[in-house]
Amino acid sequence: NAGVTQTPKFQVLKTGQSMTLQCAQDMNHNSMYWYRQDPGMGLRLIYYSASEGTTDKGEVPNGYNVSRLNKREFSLRLESAAPSQTSVYFCASKVLRGGADTQYFGPGTRLTVL
Amino acid sequence: KNEVEQSPQNLTAQEGEFITINCSYSVGISALHWLQQHPGGGIVSLFMLSSGKKKHGRLIATINIQEKHSSLHITASHPRDSAVYICAVRGGGADGLTFGKGTHLIIQP
């Protein structure tokens, strides 16, 4: 049981390049999330998916697209990277059990856009 | 949009001290989470609270819904408790969490 996995761990892009951040969970969770973490700020929600086949915008969706490929996988795509997208990106999944929900986070992807 | 404020931003204490980290929020919530971010960057969920108090080992979390305030306490602190502690809230109708900026805790031996 690997939990939530993310690839790659580190990435450097040039402005205008595109890339996809991959996330997978093996816990059979319905809900999955993408957050970004910037220095001096709390984590902010980019997009989320409440179930397979559905996605919704979070607080900071501009410049990103997502795909919920199946129940396990939730990818985040940057079509044309900008320096403002330099950040650490975390994927998470959520389980709701007995009225309490717990989010499980991946290890993060550190992205630098030059 | 809910505003989540944590205090203090930074805290350095000696091993064995009793630690308190505070979190306040501006709008009514359905749940409040405390998370721990290790120096390596990994994030772990510690507690989810909707009322009252929870305890896990040396960690105690309390919430006062009327005052829109929560505290995380660490008893008999240890250097391995050094981490960033993050408060996050869930609103009534929206998914996803709104996060505080975190409290950077250092426990010195």
Side-chain angles (χ1 to χ4, degrees):
Chain A
N1 191 335
V4 180
T5 57
Q6 291 183 235
T7 55
K9 285 190 167 49
F10 301 93
Q11 183 72 49
V12 178
L13 294 177
K14 294 181 180 176
T15 297
Q17 287 185 314
S18 62
M19 80 161 294
T20 300
L21 280 64
Q22 306 287 353
C23 173
Q25 52 91 10
D26 61 0
M27 297 174 283
N28 203 36
H29 293 169
N30 284 322
S31 299
M32 297 185 72
Y33 306 84
W34 276 106
Y35 296 98
R36 60 178 289 174
Q37 185 177 40
D38 301 296
M41 303 185 73
L43 285 98
R44 291 179 293 169
L45 181 65
I46 305 171
Y47 270 94
Y48 68 96
S49 170
S51 62
E52 184 180 349
T54 68
T55 60
D56 284 286
K57 294 178 181 179
E59 183 185 350
V60 288
N62 291 344
Y64 305 96
N65 286 301
V66 290
S67 295
R68 184 74 184 268
L69 305 167
N70 48 53
K71 194 169 187 179
R72 289 188 65 247
E73 297 172 292
F74 188 37
S75 61
L76 179 72
R77 183 159 177 84
L78 287 71
E79 289 291 352
S80 178
S84 61
Q85 294 178 304
T86 293
S87 188
V88 181
Y89 291 85
F90 288 95
C91 177
S93 67
K94 182 182 83 172
V95 63
L96 185 63
R97 196 174 286 137
D101 68 271
T102 301
Q103 291 213 357
Y104 294 83
F105 287 81
T109 295
R110 188 173 294 273
L111 174 67
T112 301
V113 183
L114 302 175
Chain B
K1 182 181 181 296
N2 220 330
E3 301 293 332
V4 181
E5 298 288 337
Q6 287 186 237
S7 63
Q9 286 186 303
N10 297 284
L11 178 58
T12 299
Q14 296 298 311
E15 183 173 356
E17 286 189 37
F18 181 83
I19 303 299
T20 296
I21 298 170
N22 297 297
C23 175
S24 60
Y25 50 93
S26 57
V27 179
I29 60 170
S30 58
L32 182 142
H33 295 251
W34 282 103
L35 306 110
Q36 180 191 55
Q37 186 167 25
H38 299 291
I43 299 173
V44 175
S45 182
L46 298 174
F47 294 104
M48 189 220 80
L49 295 159
S50 54
S51 64
K53 176 179 174 179
K54 285 190 177 178
K55 185 176 189 291
H56 185 254
R58 294 181 294 105
L59 300 177
I60 303 165
T62 63
I63 188 168
N64 185 320
I65 297 294
Q66 287 73 31
E67 306 229 332
K68 296 186 178 65
H69 181 269
S70 175
S71 293
L72 177 68
H73 306 286
I74 304 174
T75 62
S77 59
H78 190 275
R80 65 175 174 266
D81 297 326
S82 298
V84 177
Y85 291 84
I86 301 170
C87 172
V89 301
R90 180 181 310 285
D95 208 344
L97 297 172
T98 301
F99 293 80
K101 294 180 182 178
T103 294
H104 189 194
L105 174 66
I106 297 173
I107 304 296
Q108 294 179 335

